[in-house]
Amino acid sequence: MFGKKSRILIKNQEQIEGIKAASKLAAETLKYLAQYAVPGNTTKFIDQKCAEFTHDHGAIAATKGYGHPPFPGHCCTSVNDVVCHGIPGNYELKEGDILNIDVTPILNGYYGDTCRMYPIGEISTEATNLIETTRQSLWKGIEQVRPGNRFGNIGYAITKFIQPKGFSVVFEFAGHGVGVEFHEEPQVDHNAPKDSGAIMQPGMIFTIEPMINQGKARCKIDRNDGWTARTIDGKLSAQFEHTVLVTSTGVEVLTDIGEF
Ligand code: MF3
Ligand code: CO
Ligand code: CO
């Protein structure tokens, strides 16, 4: 309605170039870390490798020290029923686990944000199905990105795709504007009414990052560490995230460097 000014940044060319570079580094970090997502490695070891790679490329990790309590990792490592914000630690990955790694390097002051799933060794058919469905749901959301379309149609498309599969869309966490800061406006919900929300314009950059649960949608945050979000029913959760740019004609997926 009138009076509410949109604070969604329209990035200029210089900012777009900077965010593109940070996003590419984010994607390359996920690719580099794939070799370490194997049985026997701890999530802390993956965090160390993430820190090395990030620093060796002249960047710093946005998650380190972020929020309250300060997040301790250079990435989030979320295993099995952990929906998001898993803290790297002494947990040893084992055959059959599903792992999400979420990285957000800051390069020359600009942020790129992406996450993906890693099967640890051989995983069950059910887990594979959840992962592939989640990956596809992200692309259903990306298909809605073009100037003139409304943000709500991203979440509408994701939920419409997921519901018939019997999985549930997490509503307690959302995508977000990104690039100049870690979390900017708008909030990009993964479950939203058709034709709701702000209108997308060229130069907007944001994430789409659906978290899809095998069972119930609800999550609970670990009361000891203040971060780890788990499914309330202990069932599996999967997530993929890309940083996207609205172009004059459609979308550019800044964290997509192809399959790996
Ligand atoms: N990278 C996450 C996101 O996609 C945020 C992680 S915040 C942290 O928005 F503090 F948990 F690392
Ligand atoms: Co994000
Ligand atoms: Co992220």
Side-chain angles (χ1 to χ4, degrees):
M1 292 294 109
F2 61 86
K4 188 169 188 303
K5 192 160 164 285
S6 165
R7 292 172 191 283
I8 304 174
L9 294 179
I10 307 289
K11 273 83 174 184
N12 63 34
Q13 205 47 48
E14 184 182 326
Q15 291 169 328
I16 290 171
E17 291 312 318
I19 298 162
K20 275 189 183 177
S23 297
K24 187 159 176 280
L25 178 60
E28 282 164 351
T29 309
L30 291 187
K31 185 172 186 172
Y32 169 75
L33 292 175
Q35 64 189 303
Y36 301 113
V38 294
N41 279 346
T42 63
T43 51
K44 198 159 70 181
F45 179 72
I46 290 173
D47 185 71
Q48 283 162 10
K49 291 294 166 190
C50 177
E52 274 172 33
F53 191 86
T54 304
H55 300 152
D56 286 352
H57 289 80
I60 57 171
T63 56
K64 178 80 181 165
Y66 178 78
H68 300 285
F71 191 84
H74 301 84
C75 57
C76 298
T77 53
S78 303
V79 182
N80 297 339
D81 65 328
V82 177
V83 176
C84 63
H85 301 167
I87 297 176
N90 295 325
Y91 180 79
E92 234 177 66
L93 296 168
K94 61 176 196 312
E95 182 97 14
D97 282 346
I98 61 170
L99 167 71
N100 177 282
I101 306 178
D102 191 335
V103 297
T104 315
I106 312 173
L107 182 65
N108 300 319
Y110 296 110
Y111 295 71
D113 190 2
T114 183
C115 79
R116 61 161 293 157
M117 300 303 296
Y118 300 81
I120 306 303
E122 288 279 311
I123 62 170
S124 68
T125 314
E126 291 74 27
T128 303
N129 186 16
L130 176 68
I131 289 175
E132 287 317 312
T133 304
T134 305
R135 187 202 306 272
Q136 288 166 17
S137 80
L138 169 56
W139 286 96
K140 292 288 171 192
I142 292 171
E143 273 175 22
Q144 292 297 319
V145 180
R146 58 181 172 271
N149 199 8
R150 287 187 185 270
F151 277 96
N153 287 335
I154 295 170
Y156 181 76
I158 290 170
T159 298
K160 203 171 108 190
F161 174 74
I162 288 298
Q163 264 174 351
K165 318 258 184 217
F167 297 139
S168 59
V169 179
V170 171
F171 55 84
E172 292 163 87
F173 300 95
H176 50 93
V178 71
V180 173
E181 290 174 63
F182 195 166
H183 294 108
E184 304 172 3
E185 285 190 33
Q187 180 174 314
V188 182
D189 290 321
H190 303 113
N191 183 351
K194 193 168 165 49
D195 294 327
S196 64
I199 294 172
M200 294 176 225
Q201 294 173 50
M204 289 181 177
I205 297 180
F206 53 90
T207 74
I208 307 176
E209 47 183 296
M211 283 141 272
I212 306 301
N213 292 354
Q214 226 177 10
K216 294 191 166 74
R218 281 281 307 284
C219 314
K220 58 175 188 304
I221 312 259
D222 189 301
R223 62 169 96 196
N224 296 310
D225 68 31
W227 279 105
T228 311
R230 293 189 183 81
T231 59
I232 51 164
D233 55 14
K235 293 192 178 174
L236 297 177
S237 184
Q239 181 183 25
F240 285 82
E241 172 177 31
H242 274 312
T243 294
V244 304
L245 164 70
V246 185
T247 65
S248 58
T249 53
V251 61
E252 193 175 333
V253 183
L254 305 185
T255 44
D256 185 15
I257 55 169
E259 287 294 308
F260 58 85

Coordinates of all heavy atoms in Angstrom, one line a residue, residues 102 113 174-176 182-183 207 209 241, ligand 2:
D102 N 26.6 -25.0 3.3 CA 26.1 -23.7 2.9 C 27.2 -22.7 3.1 O 27.7 -22.6 4.2 CB 24.9 -23.3 3.7 CG 24.2 -22.1 3.2 OD1 24.8 -21.3 2.5 OD2 22.9 -22.0 3.5
D113 N 26.0 -16.4 -2.0 CA 25.4 -17.4 -1.0 C 24.9 -18.6 -1.8 O 24.0 -18.4 -2.6 CB 24.3 -16.6 -0.2 CG 23.8 -17.4 0.9 OD1 24.2 -18.5 1.2 OD2 22.8 -16.8 1.6
A174 N 13.7 -18.5 5.0 CA 13.4 -18.0 3.7 C 14.6 -17.6 3.0 O 15.7 -17.4 3.6 CB 12.4 -16.8 3.8
G175 N 14.5 -17.4 1.6 CA 15.5 -16.7 0.9 C 15.5 -15.2 1.2 O 14.7 -14.8 2.0
H176 N 16.5 -14.5 0.6 CA 16.7 -13.1 1.0 C 17.5 -12.4 -0.1 O 18.3 -13.0 -0.8 CB 17.5 -13.1 2.3 CG 18.7 -14.0 2.3 ND1 20.0 -13.5 1.9 CD2 18.9 -15.3 2.5 CE1 20.8 -14.5 1.9 NE2 20.2 -15.7 2.3
F182 N 24.7 -9.5 4.0 CA 24.4 -10.9 4.0 C 22.9 -11.1 3.8 O 22.4 -11.9 2.9 CB 24.8 -11.5 5.4 CG 24.9 -12.9 5.5 CD1 25.6 -13.5 6.6 CD2 24.4 -13.8 4.5 CE1 25.7 -14.9 6.7 CE2 24.6 -15.2 4.6 CZ 25.2 -15.7 5.7
H183 N 22.1 -10.5 4.6 CA 20.6 -10.7 4.5 C 20.0 -9.3 4.3 O 19.9 -8.5 5.2 CB 20.1 -11.4 5.8 CG 20.5 -12.8 5.9 ND1 21.5 -13.2 6.9 CD2 20.2 -13.9 5.2 CE1 21.7 -14.5 6.7 NE2 21.0 -14.9 5.7
T207 N 18.5 -14.6 -3.0 CA 18.7 -16.1 -2.9 C 17.3 -16.7 -3.0 O 16.3 -16.2 -2.6 CB 19.4 -16.6 -1.7 OG1 18.5 -16.5 -0.6 CG2 20.6 -15.9 -1.4
E209 N 16.2 -20.6 -1.7 CA 16.9 -21.7 -0.9 C 15.9 -22.6 -0.2 O 15.9 -22.7 1.0 CB 17.9 -21.1 0.1 CG 17.4 -19.9 0.9 CD 18.4 -19.4 1.8 OE1 18.9 -20.1 2.7 OE2 18.8 -18.2 1.7
E241 N 20.5 -24.0 -2.6 CA 20.4 -22.5 -2.7 C 21.2 -22.0 -3.8 O 22.3 -22.4 -4.0 CB 20.9 -21.9 -1.4 CG 21.0 -20.4 -1.3 CD 21.5 -19.8 0.0 OE1 22.2 -20.5 0.7 OE2 21.1 -18.7 0.3
Ligands
CO2 CO 20.9 -17.6 2.0

